[in-house]
Amino acid sequence: DIQMTQSPSSLSASVGDRVTITCQASQDISNYLNWYQQKPGKAPKLLIYDASNLETGVPSRFSGRGSGTDFTFTISSLQPEDIATYYCQQYDNLPYTFGQGTKLEIK
Amino acid sequence: EVQLVESGGDLVQPGRSLRLSCAASGFTLDDYSMHWVRQAPGKGLEWVSGISWNSGSIGYADSVKGRFTISRDNAKNSLYLQMNSLRAEDTALYYCAKDTQWDLKHPPHAFDIWGQGTMVTVSS
């Protein structure tokens, strides 16, 4: 199985900060990577697909990049409503594994 | 409105069985692959199983292989998960999720619609 390693596991930042989360795959997955946001008590929400494509309706402050084994997810200017846990997910091979998550908090 | 609604979660004893259902509305189920994803209390997301539009391709996580069976009834716009030989470590909130792709073996894939989840607790 492909292992997905996210870092950091938790992050505290101020409103307006630029926030970056990294995700590393245990093998080359091309651009077969998605990013999800999960707010407390809610289902996950798709934000970024195919490593860098913004899902319809998602604010442009969210972005993703990368290919191969190394990927980044960025919030350009953190807003209070962005408090959530973020997950990467690979779909190169079954099982479609998720990273362990990054919990984002407001400082 | 595009929606997925899971049901069937319950408190069950170890070794027993349970069947989860997921009812889709607002879209045609047979145009897409579908998945089950679970989340143990306080933990991250774990992909459990997926099924292609015509049930021709199916996959399972190693943790449930041989115990869980995914199926679908496109005529009823419904997805199912039959869970047998349940263990304490199967305790989780189970989500069904719609894929953007029709065939499990052809990329790309993204889970663009999720249900609200149904809770399964395995305990004596």
Side-chain angles (χ1 to χ4, degrees), chain A residues 39-91:
Chain A
K39 295 184 177 182
K42 299 295 186 181
K45 175 186 176 183
L46 176 66
L47 297 183
I48 303 284
Y49 62 94
D50 301 345
S52 60
N53 294 310
L54 198 65
E55 175 71 346
T56 302
V58 174
S60 59
R61 64 180 179 274
F62 296 100
S63 64
R65 62 182 298 170
S67 67
T69 61
D70 296 306
F71 302 85
T72 59
F73 171 83
T74 299
I75 306 173
S76 60
S77 178
L78 185 66
Q79 299 302 302
E81 61 266 32
D82 299 337
I83 297 314
T85 300
Y86 294 84
Y87 295 92
C88 61
Q89 178 206 28
Q90 67 80 22
Y91 59 86

Side-chain angles (χ1 to χ4, degrees), chain B residues 3 5 26 30 40 43 70 76 78 81 88 93 96 103-106 113 116-117 121:
Chain B
Q3 193 174 222
V5 178
D30 58 7
K43 302 298 184 181
I70 192 171
K76 294 183 177 180
S78 292
L81 186 67
L93 185 63
C96 69
D103 191 326
L104 208 59
K105 293 186 176 180
H106 293 280
I113 304 295
Q116 84 291 347
T121 303

